[in-house]
Amino acid sequence: MSTVELRERLADRAVAGPKQVAITGTFLGILAAWLALPPATVRTSTVPIVLGAIAIALGGYAALRDERRVGYGAVAAGIVGIPLGLLVQHSSVSHLDAAFAWGTLLAATLRYATPLTFAALGGMFSERSGVVNIGLEGMMLAGAFFGIWGADKSGSWIGGVAIAMLAGGVFGLVHAIFAIHLRADQIVGGTAINFLSLGLTGYLFIQVYGSNGTPSLSTGHWLTGESIPDVTISSGNNFFAQVFGQLNLMIWISFAVLVLSYLLMFRTSIGLRIRACGEHPRAADTVGIDVYKVRYVSVVVSGMLAAMGGAYLSVGFTHSFNENMTEGRGFIALAALIFGKWRPFGAFAAALLFGFSTALAYAIPPAYSDTASSVLRSSALFQALPYILTLIAVAGVIGRSIPPAADGRPYKRQ
Amino acid sequence: MSETPAEQPGAAPPPPDSEPPETFAARLSARYRIGGIVAPLITTVVAFLAGGIVVGATGHNPLSTYRAIFNGTGLNWLFPWVSGADRVDAAINLQQTLIQTTPLILTGLAVAFAFRCGMFNIGGQGQYLVGAYVAIFVGSSWAHLAGPAHVFLAVALAALAGAVWGGIAGFLKATTGAHEVISTIMLNWVAIWVGDYFFGLSGPFQGPDQFNPISNTVADSAKLPVFWGDPELQGLHVGIFIALGALVVFWVILNRTTIGYEVRAVGFNPSAAEYGGISVKKNYFRAMAISGMFAGCAGAMDILGWEFNLSTPAIHASSIGFIGVAVALLGRNTAIGTFLGALLFGALYVGTSTRQLDATVFDPQLASNLTLIIQGLVVLFVGADLLIIGIWQWRKRVRLRTRQPAG
């Protein structure tokens, strides 16, 4: 190795590329807001301003050197970080400590994110195979009702989850038949699934349980064996124990499903086939892949996973069912899928982000109940956050989300 | 949608003497028109039958259930043999049905108009809600205005708000290519939660009652006058005429103006339209804004016509905009179809409500869910026009085949 070559290599190492600069910038932008929060609670306004300004500068540097996406990401982090940090500094430390108890906040984040993770992963299977699934909400709701019903009738949460998955699979099958063989518009079909599931679960709920509601722990005829158990790892009081110590079994299952989905979709030939059907069905057909079969299986699996999310919500979380209890979570899952660019870990990260915004929405109002600010005393604007973020994401301000090429296009065999 | 553009009937009422009925084109369009009526009819019948099966399977009598729902809608008022106290009840019920039909026509048009430009506007709910918010704000706070001016301003600004909300999705599609289905779904939920913040406890527009999340009440000068029935008993307000007028406006814009021509051209084939000198992007924005205008107007009709205020549970429970999707799909995105679809779903909504349905025959709570099931089935089957057209053509082929050996 010549000395010139060596010097060039060293130079490459020493000066970070524009991408690394931008990532550092993003990190600083987040830090600008985070330092104002507990446990640091920095109270001088120069800190967020300086950190945010550096973030914007680094982002601009990277953007000018053709690292547009990460570059603008860093600029955005700085622009959002400065006012956020200053805003947080306006609030008193005692309020902040009450709202931002990180251990419980992150545990709550995982609880709220889990139904979204299941449904978003389900949506990924369907959309990666080329079938748009707006019906996630309905499939999730079906899982929520049939989960409770199954657990009640079979006397065990395992039966509940199994029946929920069966119901979700049936709704998936209906969507698949209309989308694949009848080549109906997939968005219309998904909308129909949502109406149908809302009506059917509401109807059966009233028919079976009536005005008494589902059996619950409080009314007595609901045994603990019928609820999905919590897994106790640690009951200590340190940070780790607060977050992971007592999580529901379904949350751990969701982690497993996440890893399995990733391996299946991106590391096996089955995944390659699914993706081929979603990107170029004709080409997939030409090489001998049965596009219809792949799409059918993917959409049914999608319904089953969405239903697992619903079953967690009813059997594992609230231990009861109410009409329309998913309240748009299926749509947030869809948003997480888009926000995560149709990738499993991306969707999971988005689900965590949206779960965090929900956790904040429930943590902030009680902590700020004695203040005059109506924004902080109401949780509503935090609930709107996932939707606004997704709107920004699809608009492509911070990196465009591009769906699989054949997503939503019916395929006709030749 | 993109597959069968030729099947979209061009105009609701066909021009009577435009072409002699003998040409091939005329025969073809006549066939499409028949298919255009038959497919929604079959769809509706199948949906009601399937709903009846659900009712029967759960141990109720479907016939008496549908009969009770029908009487709850007040449509029996149209039968001359209904008289006396029944007739008075029927009139009150029919007023309720038409009150619900009013916003459904408008949210149906909001979906239909975007459809004609090749877009699927699922955002009717959000556009309806922002219209309702603005109607409440204008109706309750500018009380010094004279009656007609107050009503006019409230309706116009609500329609404008809806246009802005719809226009955002159109703008995003035109500039960044963001799919309108995703952006309108997101905008729906933003509208819902913003409303929750506005009128919720200690929200900026919460009404005088600080313990209930209810908005201010609209001033008398901004209320739409009632022309049929007792204003105290929620009689029928003049909004129905505004909705009927909107149907005419919809038809005229689409079929008699340059805007409509461009919108339809983009809907049929965006690339061809672009090649012909029509700006596709401009039309995406324009069509979504006009769509939103209809839905925003629907919000104003409900607020100024009979609701007069809005609570946060009502915001979350509202589904007028979503039903608009079913209305437009069933109505095949035409003016007359939308009117009939809105009447059907308005009647179903009222006929299955707790107030109208005879609870001794069928539990209204079950019935309101039955409405949702029927809606779902209607949308499911309407989407599958391949199925309906397939059945229609198969029937014809069978008839031909059976006739051939004889002839």
Side-chain angles (χ1 to χ4, degrees), chain B residues 117-155:
Chain B
C117 193
M119 284 183 291
F120 197 171
N121 175 18
I122 306 199
Q125 186 65 35
Q127 295 146 17
Y128 165 87
L129 284 174
V130 292
Y133 303 159
V134 169
I136 282 188
F137 177 74
V138 175
S140 63
S141 54
W142 299 353
H144 54 278
L145 288 168
H150 201 181
V151 171
F152 175 78
L153 261 183
V155 174

Side-chain angles (χ1 to χ4, degrees), chain A residues 52-387:
Chain A
I54 297 173
I56 294 170
L58 292 180
Y61 167 85
L64 287 176
R65 274 158 192 76
D66 270 357
E67 282 292 345
R68 293 254 174 85
R69 240 185 62 195
V70 273
Y72 287 134
V75 173
I79 290 174
V80 175
I82 295 175
L84 214 60
L86 292 177
L87 216 64
V88 170
Q89 287 179 345
H90 261 281
S91 150
S92 76
V93 177
S94 60
H95 280 147
L96 288 175
D97 281 336
F100 290 88
W102 286 105
T104 45
L105 200 61
L106 291 181
T109 299
L110 285 174
R111 279 200 295 276
Y112 294 121
T114 299
L116 307 181
T117 309
F118 275 118
L121 288 173
M124 183 192 72
F125 276 96
S126 173
E127 306 223 343
R128 280 284 181 176
S129 80
V131 179
V132 166
N133 198 345
I134 301 270
L136 283 176
E137 169 84 8
M139 296 170 185
M140 215 173 165
L141 189 61
F145 173 75
F146 285 99
I148 275 282
W149 181 77
D152 181 30
K153 294 296 170 213
S154 71
S156 136
W157 65 270
I158 299 172
V161 173
I163 288 173
M165 286 173 75
L166 193 71
V170 169
F171 272 96
L173 187 65
V174 171
H175 185 45
I177 291 171
F178 277 82
I180 300 165
H181 261 109
L182 297 174
R183 298 201 303 280
D185 188 275
Q186 295 169 8
I187 291 162
V188 175
T191 311
I193 294 287
N194 288 337
F195 272 125
L196 209 55
S197 171
L198 187 60
L200 207 62
T201 56
Y203 188 98
L204 291 175
F205 172 63
I206 302 286
Q207 176 72 31
V208 177
Y209 295 107
S211 48
N212 297 326
T214 50
S216 64
L217 285 170
S218 54
T219 55
H221 56 289
W222 178 260
L223 306 169
T224 43
E226 291 158 354
S227 300
I228 302 172
D230 286 346
V231 179
T232 308
I233 296 176
S234 149
S235 48
N237 212 14
N238 57 346
F239 177 72
F240 175 82
Q242 279 175 347
V243 181
F244 295 102
Q246 287 221 316
L247 289 180
N248 193 277
L249 180 62
M250 281 297 260
I251 299 180
W252 294 106
I253 294 178
S254 81
F255 296 158
V257 170
L258 168 69
V259 175
L260 284 177
S261 302
Y262 168 76
L263 292 176
L264 185 73
M265 192 60 86
F266 293 98
R267 289 286 178 271
T268 67
S269 60
I270 300 173
L272 189 64
R273 281 179 198 179
I274 296 176
R275 286 182 289 138
C277 292
E279 296 292 344
H280 202 311
R282 176 118 307 144
D285 202 354
T286 316
V287 296
I289 297 172
D290 187 343
V291 178
Y292 281 17
K293 195 174 109 191
V294 168
R295 285 191 172 177
Y296 264 102
V297 173
S298 299
V299 178
V300 169
V301 166
S302 146
M304 290 167 117
L305 285 176
M308 275 176 89
Y312 163 71
L313 211 58
S314 65
V315 190
F317 189 65
T318 61
H319 310 294
S320 64
F321 179 84
N322 290 310
E323 286 179 76
N324 193 17
M325 76 177 288
T326 47
E327 279 189 307
R329 283 188 184 83
F331 291 114
I332 305 189
L334 188 71
L337 179 66
I338 296 161
F339 204 76
K341 303 189 176 176
W342 287 268
R343 299 184 139 269
F345 286 103
F348 177 61
L352 283 180
L353 179 67
F354 296 165
F356 181 66
S357 90
T358 310
L360 268 188
Y362 287 109
I364 285 182
Y368 284 84
S369 56
D370 56 339
T371 60
S373 161
S374 64
V375 175
L376 290 174
R377 285 170 63 185
S378 155
S379 68
L381 292 183
F382 290 96
Q383 304 269 28
L385 207 58
Y387 305 109

Side-chain angles (χ1 to χ4, degrees), chain A residues 134 137 174-175 178 181-185 187-193 195-196 198-207 210-211 323-324 327-329 331-332 334-335 338 362 372-381 383-384 386-388 390-391 394-396 400 410 412, chain B residues 1-3 54-56 58-60 115 120 122 168 172 176-179 181-187 189-190 193-194 196-197 201-204 316 319 322-323 325-326 329 362-363 365-370 372-377 379-387:
Chain A
I134 301 270
E137 169 84 8
V174 171
H175 185 45
F178 277 82
H181 261 109
L182 297 174
R183 298 201 303 280
D185 188 275
I187 291 162
V188 175
T191 311
I193 294 287
F195 272 125
L196 209 55
L198 187 60
L200 207 62
T201 56
Y203 188 98
L204 291 175
F205 172 63
I206 302 286
Q207 176 72 31
S211 48
E323 286 179 76
N324 193 17
E327 279 189 307
R329 283 188 184 83
F331 291 114
I332 305 189
L334 188 71
I338 296 161
Y362 287 109
S373 161
S374 64
V375 175
L376 290 174
R377 285 170 63 185
S378 155
S379 68
L381 292 183
Q383 304 269 28
Y387 305 109
I388 297 171
T390 307
L391 212 51
V394 288
R400 261 296 272 298
K412 194 179 178 185
Chain B
M1 286 168 285
S2 55
E3 253 193 332
V54 173
V55 173
T58 50
H60 307 275
F115 246 125
F120 197 171
I122 306 199
I168 293 174
L172 288 179
T176 70
H179 201 292
V181 167
I182 306 298
S183 46
T184 51
I185 288 177
M186 299 306 142
L187 284 166
W189 289 94
V190 173
W193 286 111
V194 165
D196 191 295
Y197 165 66
L201 296 179
S202 71
H316 285 276
S319 60
F322 292 123
I323 303 174
V325 176
L329 286 172
F362 196 62
D363 185 353
Q365 276 186 295
L366 282 180
S368 58
N369 283 307
L370 181 66
L372 285 167
I373 294 177
I374 291 174
Q375 270 163 23
L377 290 169
V379 175
L380 195 63
F381 291 127
V382 162
D385 42 7
L386 203 68
L387 178 73

Side-chain angles (χ1 to χ4, degrees), chain B residues 26-49:
Chain B
R27 247 184 297 145
L28 196 71
S29 75
R31 215 187 95 195
Y32 280 137
R33 267 205 300 280
I34 292 164
I37 298 165
V38 166
L41 272 183
I42 296 177
T43 302
T44 313
V45 170
V46 170
F48 272 87
L49 282 179

